[in-house]
Amino acid sequence: MKKKTIMFFIAFMVAALCACGTNAAQEQTVETSNSGEETTMTAENNSEGSTITTENSGNETNNAAEQSSEDLSSFATGIATEDNTAESDTTEFVLSDEIDKRCPIIFEANRKDVSYGEFTHDTYYSGTCEMERGYSILLPADYSEDKKYPVLYLLHGIFGDEYSFSGDKNNKIKEIVGNMAADGFIEETIVVCPNMYATSNPEQKPAFDNESCLPYDNFINDLVNDLMPHIESKYSVLTGRENTYLAGFSMGGRETIYITLQRPELFGYVCAISAAPGIVPTQDKFMTHNGQMAESEMKFADGATLPNVFIICCGTRDSVVGTYPKQYHELLEANGSDHIWYEITGADHDNNAIKSGLFNLFKQIAYDKTK
Ligand code: FER
């Protein structure tokens, strides 16, 4: 009996040690181009969740209702990706106005020399939705009322909410913004992640049909009339378009483009990552879209104050929105509306696209503000 207990104990210890090994943080030593000093960086390995694969074909119909709730959650922040820093750019970082396809490793790594902010949750009253609504907010680690900070509003994908980005460690948002600020490229920046489903009916839920998508298109009103005034009154923020940034992923990318075209005077720096279809009429594998505007209307108004930076990007292997972001780029170009378009080689509808888009937005901000 005693022998058995000892054997069991040894087996348990071996199993526990093996489990620890697979989760052990990987230590890497890199040189930061900015300081020339050696920095030890820890890349946590937090990959979890399932991968969904969908065919990337234009017009085939698909019953979205058949997808499980686990599959649906992957729309909001993207298909789960391994925390694969090897896919990141390891070349030396030099600030320029060039696009880097991948976020450099020094900016997405969790570094011991940097203090990162943590997401917290708060609420505001939305007159648009006639109810209290939630948002997640990432304040800099040493946030102080004595300083003022620019703000990035970051919009989630379909079926998401204000926790979609804050709940996914693999998007590296706090690392990218924290590292770029710590290295002196950008100012310390507040990131606000709202719930983009702006409905006054608590029973209404998102789905792949035009009626169910209207609250996403209504978010422009909630953002401009309710959330932005709330953030500007509650936190110590810099205001005005130079200090107000907008970015979004997928459904959030679609609304980012829509809001930017409608209110370009409000946002100086914008990035739409893997933007979903439906700004203009179309039919994809999920639904037939009425469109928010005609193709000829997809442009900035004549004489409008334009964003300093307006990026549209997408992975070359996006299995959810396919080539729709490229079509937006082509339409805007045909309609004479300036923007930066780039493709992220090998990225799917996933965090590789999100990391690349956010990094390049901040890189463009850094370059533009030091000009
Ligand atoms: C669609 C394809 C993709 C669509 C929305 C999405 C509303 C959004 C995907 C995401 O947010 O991840 O046809 O229609």
Side-chain angles (χ1 to χ4, degrees):
M1 187 67 183
K2 208 171 176 189
K3 202 170 171 189
K4 258 190 189 166
T5 311
I6 292 168
M7 290 298 287
F8 179 78
F9 179 70
I10 291 171
F12 175 79
M13 289 304 286
V14 169
L17 277 171
C18 288
C20 280
T22 55
N23 285 331
Q26 298 159 356
E27 293 251 311
Q28 293 162 291
T29 303
V30 297
E31 210 159 286
T32 57
S33 62
N34 205 25
S35 61
E37 286 163 11
E38 285 227 323
T39 316
T40 304
M41 306 194 302
T42 310
E44 287 166 35
N45 202 346
N46 289 309
S47 60
E48 272 172 51
S50 61
T51 304
I52 62 157
T53 32
T54 44
E55 291 293 311
N56 189 9
S57 56
N59 289 334
E60 125 202 0
T61 37
N62 185 27
N63 189 353
E66 277 175 14
Q67 288 174 307
S68 70
S69 58
E70 199 184 338
D71 287 341
L72 293 181
S73 74
S74 72
F75 281 95
T77 55
I79 295 165
T81 41
E82 297 289 308
D83 176 12
N84 189 353
T85 36
E87 282 191 52
S88 304
D89 195 339
T90 52
T91 53
E92 198 186 359
F93 178 74
V94 180
L95 184 60
S96 70
D97 63 352
E98 302 279 304
I99 291 290
D100 298 323
K101 301 262 167 174
R102 296 273 166 172
C103 179
I105 202 162
I106 52 160
F107 295 126
E108 70 168 66
N110 194 290
R111 291 161 33 181
K112 293 206 168 102
D113 64 324
V114 178
S115 301
Y116 302 103
E118 292 296 338
F119 276 101
T120 55
H121 187 267
D122 210 336
T123 64
Y124 63 107
Y125 181 75
S126 166
T128 303
C129 302
E130 297 173 319
M131 64 169 94
E132 198 72 10
R133 283 169 42 84
Y135 63 93
S136 290
I137 184 163
L138 176 67
L139 297 174
D142 62 348
Y143 172 82
S144 154
E145 291 286 329
D146 298 336
K147 297 191 222 164
K148 283 183 183 284
Y149 306 86
V151 183
L152 166 65
Y153 293 91
L154 181 58
L155 314 184
H156 60 75
I158 197 166
F159 306 119
D161 59 23
E162 69 266 35
Y163 297 105
S164 299
F165 287 115
S166 60
D168 182 357
K169 286 187 172 169
N170 287 338
N171 56 40
K172 306 292 172 189
I173 293 167
K174 70 175 191 184
E175 284 83 1
I176 294 171
V177 68
N179 290 333
M180 292 188 79
D183 288 349
F185 292 110
I186 58 167
E187 295 159 271
E188 289 181 303
T189 302
I190 294 174
V191 182
V192 176
C193 300
N195 180 333
M196 208 180 58
Y197 202 63
T199 177
S200 50
N201 173 6
E203 303 303 313
Q204 194 178 10
K205 298 283 176 267
F208 285 111
D209 63 73
N210 287 292
E211 178 74 23
S212 306
C213 285
L214 286 177
Y216 290 121
D217 301 340
N218 188 37
F219 179 67
I220 185 171
N221 298 309
D222 182 65
L223 174 66
V224 172
N225 299 327
D226 304 305
L227 181 58
M228 286 173 66
H230 166 83
I231 295 294
E232 291 175 5
S233 70
K234 173 149 190 176
Y235 301 91
S236 187
V237 301
L238 292 164
T239 54
R241 55 196 305 285
E242 290 292 320
N243 304 300
T244 312
Y245 317 149
L246 182 63
F249 172 68
S250 199
M251 199 63 181
R254 158 175 148 177
E255 299 307 331
T256 292
I257 296 174
Y258 178 66
I259 294 167
T260 302
L261 294 177
Q262 301 296 311
R263 302 300 303 270
E265 78 283 8
L266 296 179
F267 304 96
Y269 300 89
V270 176
C271 181
I273 305 163
S274 317
I279 299 178
V280 296
T282 190
Q283 188 190 345
D284 73 341
K285 62 189 172 186
F286 297 107
M287 61 178 281
T288 301
H289 297 266
N290 293 341
Q292 294 160 289
M293 60 184 77
E295 291 194 357
S296 60
E297 294 167 330
M298 194 173 169
K299 60 179 183 183
F300 292 111
D302 291 343
T305 311
L306 303 180
N308 299 4
V309 171
F310 180 19
I311 303 173
I312 297 177
C313 60
C314 189
T316 53
R317 290 201 202 154
D318 195 304
S319 55
V320 176
V321 302
T323 55
Y324 278 103
K326 189 171 189 199
Q327 290 175 37
Y328 290 147
H329 146 64
E330 287 166 353
L331 262 176
L332 287 168
E333 194 168 60
N335 292 338
S337 291
D338 279 352
H339 60 281
I340 297 169
W341 159 249
Y342 78 96
E343 288 179 297
I344 307 139
T345 314
D348 196 342
H349 199 69
D350 62 17
N351 278 322
N352 290 318
I354 292 174
K355 288 186 288 188
S356 172
L358 289 181
F359 162 70
N360 277 296
L361 174 64
F362 286 123
K363 181 179 177 184
Q364 292 293 323
I365 291 170
Y367 184 78
D368 199 63
K369 289 195 174 183
T370 51
K371 273 202 302 204

